[in-house]
Amino acid sequence: QILLFNAVYELQFTHDCSGILAADLAGTVIHGRNLDFKFLYKMPDGSDHDWPDLAFNAIFWRQGKQLLMSPSFALFNGIHTGMRFDGWSFEQNTRFTNDHKLNLEELKRGGRLFGWTVRHYMQTIPDYKTALEKMSHSHWAAPQYFIMAGAGPFEGAVIAQDRGTGKSLVDTPDIQHISKEAGVWNIVQTNDDSNKKADDARRPLAQMMLRRQHQEDVSTSFMWQDIVAPELRTPMTVFTWVAVPKTHYWFTALRNESIPADAFQPAQLQQGRAKVVGATKWARQALLQTE
């Protein structure tokens, strides 16, 4: 059952998500992400719970140093959201061409479950460019979106991944890149292809919001204000997460939590310091971290 739970996306138990990449004038890319899902369950004492009650921040260590972090859930040991310090950040979003029957056939042909594969890549690939190349050319069991930011200037991209290897469908969007030369300083990705009519209002409304804003204002505070805006955050948002690979900054806020003031002021945070964020006592106790 635990093995099957780690194939939750490939089994088509998925819902909406949203992400923003935004670069400041110096090229530092900030990554914002909403993970949206509903998983209602009842405990033996009769109390009702949902997905945020299973959430925690996992910190991975290597040789006494923090290697990467990932907001995660009990029983899921892959990575759907995370950041390798000094390296790159990652977010996976649902693509609605996802189909569990077709995914199973692709698994038989050698397709990979994304969660375990991304965890392996984050543990073994230190830099954004290599990670982007690997992510865009691996053999995946399911179609999906990969949103990534790097520690280098203007490193940010969104991959619309087809089932199989690389781009196999003619109408799949090309990789979108943050680019100083092209004047692209922000990208919004929800759950539809960027080269097609939006399936819902989130992407066009968020893009409209960003068109009214200015690159010189980009900061972690800027990202928090945009990623929790009603254009993107929904009642099903499990958590909102903002990360900056260049500076090690990250912060996670669960569905019913207000965003604390120090999340808007990264100078007040020790770089790379883990923030204990949880909506329940159980979630805080489940934090996988050693200080």
Side-chain angles (χ1 to χ4, degrees), residues 12-76:
Q12 211 174 336
F13 291 98
T14 55
H15 218 280
D16 300 339
C17 293
S18 57
I20 298 176
L21 301 176
D24 66 14
L25 291 175
T28 299
V29 177
I30 301 172
H31 187 168
R33 190 266 210 279
N34 292 312
L35 187 142
D36 304 338
F37 199 85
K38 189 171 283 290
F39 182 76
L40 300 174
Y41 63 97
K42 190 180 290 289
M43 295 296 287
D45 63 1
S47 59
D48 294 318
H49 294 269
D50 197 358
W51 213 231
D53 298 316
L54 299 175
F56 59 88
N57 289 313
I59 309 295
F60 293 70
W61 293 72
R62 178 178 292 167
Q63 297 178 346
K65 295 182 180 180
Q66 293 185 11
L67 178 68
L68 63 96
M69 69 78 52
S70 174
S72 196
F73 308 104
L75 305 182
F76 188 83

Side-chain angles (χ1 to χ4, degrees), residues 11 24 27 30 92 111 120-121 134 147 168 187 220 253-254 278 286:
L11 291 171
D24 66 14
I30 301 172
Q92 187 266 8
H120 173 68
Y121 289 169
K134 195 74 172 177
I147 299 91
S168 58
I187 304 174
T220 51
L254 297 182

Side-chain angles (χ1 to χ4, degrees), residues 68-96:
L68 63 96
M69 69 78 52
S70 174
S72 196
F73 308 104
L75 305 182
F76 188 83
N77 53 30
I79 288 180
H80 50 71
T81 308
M83 177 176 67
R84 176 162 174 149
F85 300 117
D86 287 325
W88 51 287
S89 61
F90 172 82
E91 162 191 351
Q92 187 266 8
N93 284 6
T94 295
R95 193 175 180 197
F96 285 121

